[in-house]
Amino acid sequence: MTAFDFDLFVIGAGSGGVRASRMAAQTGARVAVAEDAPLGGTCVNVGCIPKKLYSFAAHYAEAFEEAHGFGWSAAKPSLDWQLLKSNRATEISRLNSIYGGLLTGAGVTLMHGRAKVVGPHEVAVTVQGETKSYRAKTILVATGGRPLLADVPGGELAISSDQIFDLLQFPRRLLVVGGGYIACEFASIFRGLGAEVTQLYRGEQVLRGFDAEVRHFVADEMIKKGVDLRTGSDVESLVQTDDGILACLKDGSMVLADTVLYATGRHPNTAGLGLAEIGVALSANGAVKVDAQYCSSVPHLMAIGDVTDRVQLTPVALAEAMAVVDQLFGDGRRAVDYALIPTAVFTHPSIGTIGLSEEKARAQFGDVRIFRSDFRALKHTLSGSSERTLMKLVVDVASDRVVGLHMVGPEAGEIIQGFAVAMRGGATKALFDSTLGIHPTMAEEFVTMRVPVPD
């Protein structure tokens, strides 16, 4: 007999929690997972998946217009917002069911309730008002994050990205507050769907942390597509009027909108989990502090994914889950390399990037060589669109290694994913130069750029 009900108890059935639960159970471990929301977490329900579906939807209006240059003619299309929402909800429900099947099929005990840690090895789960405690050898916290809410007078009038997918009516006028990837993506998406979009960011340029040239390039493209992007601008207060929500800005100007979306960041979802009460060290924003092996300050309590506030990306949470399972039930050799993480931002046009920005590369290596190409894609020679594409390589001169690769353009994420393999293999500029391109494609630009940007 054992003193534990489970070998592993996972709190949170998002991307990381589901992966850890399922893979641990497949080793023969006794595993339970508790979740009080739809399975799949932020990514499946109010993040990556529905956002990409809406991004696809937003591109169609543009595609219909561009088709005229290729000989197609048709009546001006109109968006059925209710149908889009319904089809999205059906797909998300299907994915929720798949996640449930994956867990139970692997032998995981799935509990649809709110979990709270009440001891180093003890979790209390409340299901429909009834609370029951379980003992586990290891507890894994994978509860993800939550959007920051508007912290201004009248902030209760604003919504977060959690609500944006299911608005009762399509917003004719949308105000987006924030300059990160979530804010920029929704500004692009709803502009593409037909809304008048104003985006406010208090900083000097959106997408802080990305390559500076990429930031300015994508901002210019978003403005060309009709987003009223205002940097150095912030909200003083929100007021409900008969004609919509009036945003009073700190510079004295005003913006009237039907919907105000605050996308100013996310914080770790640790409130009410009982972590601080049992001595788990948390950072100022509530993130679980963990070491290189994802162990918290309390023995046998671990954490992965957004709740640790390291890198808030679904593939990172999945990789961390695999590392934890290997550590607990395998040979412990698996580790996550955070050095080269490919990233996409689904703005219109989209961003794909891996490695260092030009600024970080110069700070780290000193002598770097920049190769860039800024062009109008072949498609747009007939489409009539003025959209341009940016492709950029950052090369460490001493080693000739490509240390940064960036793109702004259609399907940037799809293109960068392939080059990410080469980057992780230590590809040099000479290797890029010796690789034959596929013609005519945008991706071939990465292997045909020969002349560096003058210093």
Side-chain angles (χ1 to χ4, degrees):
M1 298 292 292
T2 175
F4 301 114
D5 301 301
F6 299 101
D7 300 307
L8 177 66
F9 197 109
V10 181
I11 303 177
S15 299
V18 168
R19 176 64 63 87
S21 302
R22 183 166 64 92
M23 301 310 293
Q26 288 179 357
T27 70
R30 297 168 303 155
V31 181
V33 59
E35 175 59 74
D36 64 349
L39 301 181
T42 297
C43 178
V44 168
N45 296 287
V46 289
C48 321
I49 301 302
K51 180 178 64 181
K52 190 68 181 290
L53 291 174
Y54 279 22
S55 180
F56 286 140
H59 275 295
Y60 278 104
E62 190 175 52
F64 280 123
E65 185 64 31
E66 291 173 352
H68 296 159
F70 291 87
W72 292 93
S73 61
K76 185 176 178 62
S78 61
L79 173 68
D80 187 335
W81 173 244
Q82 304 305 328
L83 180 60
L84 174 60
K85 289 195 302 178
S86 175
N87 288 346
R88 181 218 81 237
T90 298
E91 172 59 13
I92 299 309
S93 179
R94 185 184 73 85
L95 294 175
N96 295 151
S97 297
I98 287 175
Y99 271 74
L102 288 173
L103 289 169
T104 56
V108 176
T109 300
L110 176 57
M111 303 179 188
H112 294 283
R114 177 71 177 175
K116 181 178 180 179
V117 180
V118 294
H121 290 283
E122 191 171 358
V123 179
V125 183
T126 302
V127 180
Q128 297 180 342
E130 182 179 348
T131 301
K132 185 175 180 180
S133 293
Y134 303 90
R135 287 182 55 77
K137 185 175 182 180
T138 302
I139 299 170
L140 177 64
V141 178
T143 48
R146 294 181 297 172
L148 291 170
L149 302 179
D151 187 19
V152 296
E156 68 278 1
L157 298 172
I159 64 169
S160 74
S161 57
D162 283 359
Q163 290 84 46
I164 192 69
F165 299 103
D166 239 351
L167 296 173
L168 290 178
Q169 300 297 327
F170 183 79
R172 181 169 56 87
R173 302 162 299 181
L174 175 67
L175 173 61
V176 179
V177 182
Y181 72 93
I182 296 175
C184 291
E185 288 173 335
F186 281 116
S188 285
I189 288 169
F190 276 83
R191 178 57 194 150
L193 290 173
E196 295 176 8
V197 177
T198 302
Q199 182 180 356
L200 309 178
Y201 179 52
R202 63 185 180 181
E204 55 85 24
Q205 187 55 278
V206 295
L207 296 171
R208 182 168 56 91
F210 285 77
D211 182 272
E213 189 172 17
V214 167
R215 297 169 68 193
H216 289 290
F217 192 94
V218 78
D220 289 344
E221 290 296 314
M222 289 173 63
I223 291 169
K224 280 164 52 176
K225 291 181 184 293
V227 175
D228 181 6
L229 177 57
R230 308 182 192 181
T231 56
S233 187
D234 203 2
V235 174
E236 182 74 36
S237 64
L238 299 175
V239 180
Q240 183 68 62
T241 73
D242 292 340
D243 193 29
I245 301 172
L246 184 65
C248 304
L249 310 189
K250 291 184 177 180
D251 62 5
S253 62
M254 298 181 181
V255 177
L256 190 62
D258 301 304
T259 301
V260 177
L261 167 65
Y262 256 72
T264 52
R266 297 175 64 83
H267 61 175
N269 189 19
T270 53
L273 292 182
L275 300 177
E277 290 84 341
I278 69 164
V280 175
L282 304 176
S283 63
N285 69 348
V288 180
K289 294 183 177 181
V290 294
D291 60 18
Q293 285 71 47
Y294 311 100
C295 298
S296 74
S297 59
V298 171
H300 311 293
L301 193 146
M302 308 173 77
I304 58 170
D306 291 3
V307 76
T308 67
D309 199 25
R310 280 182 167 179
V311 181
Q312 295 184 15
L313 293 170
T314 292
V316 172
L318 296 174
E320 291 176 347
M322 296 299 293
V324 164
V325 171
D326 185 61
Q327 181 182 327
L328 294 175
F329 308 108
D331 59 17
R333 296 181 181 179
R334 184 186 288 266
V336 181
D337 183 356
Y338 297 92
L340 288 169
I341 299 174
T343 304
V345 182
F346 297 108
T347 43
H348 296 186
S350 59
I351 301 170
T353 181
I354 180 171
L356 301 176
S357 66
E358 178 180 344
E359 296 73 35
K360 290 181 179 178
R362 290 191 185 281
Q364 182 171 333
F365 297 107
D367 193 8
V368 298
R369 196 169 285 134
I370 306 299
F371 297 82
R372 70 183 301 278
S373 181
D374 171 355
F375 59 95
R376 189 183 187 195
L378 175 62
K379 172 184 176 181
H380 297 315
T381 60
L382 295 188
S383 75
S385 171
S386 63
E387 179 182 284
R388 298 189 67 80
T389 294
L390 172 69
M391 305 179 85
K392 181 174 182 178
L393 294 176
V394 182
V395 180
D396 169 33
V397 172
S399 65
D400 193 45
R401 189 163 60 90
V402 178
V403 295
L405 187 147
H406 313 278
M407 176 179 175
V408 180
E411 305 296 347
E414 301 288 350
I415 292 172
I416 296 302
Q417 181 66 81
F419 281 102
V421 178
M423 292 279 287
R424 287 193 55 80
T428 61
K429 182 61 170 65
L431 182 60
F432 271 63
D433 293 344
S434 68
T435 300
L436 297 180
I438 301 173
H439 185 73
T441 65
M442 287 182 290
E444 69 176 318
E445 289 289 324
F446 276 128
V447 297
T448 57
M449 292 186 280
R450 297 288 188 270
V451 181
V453 175
D455 290 333

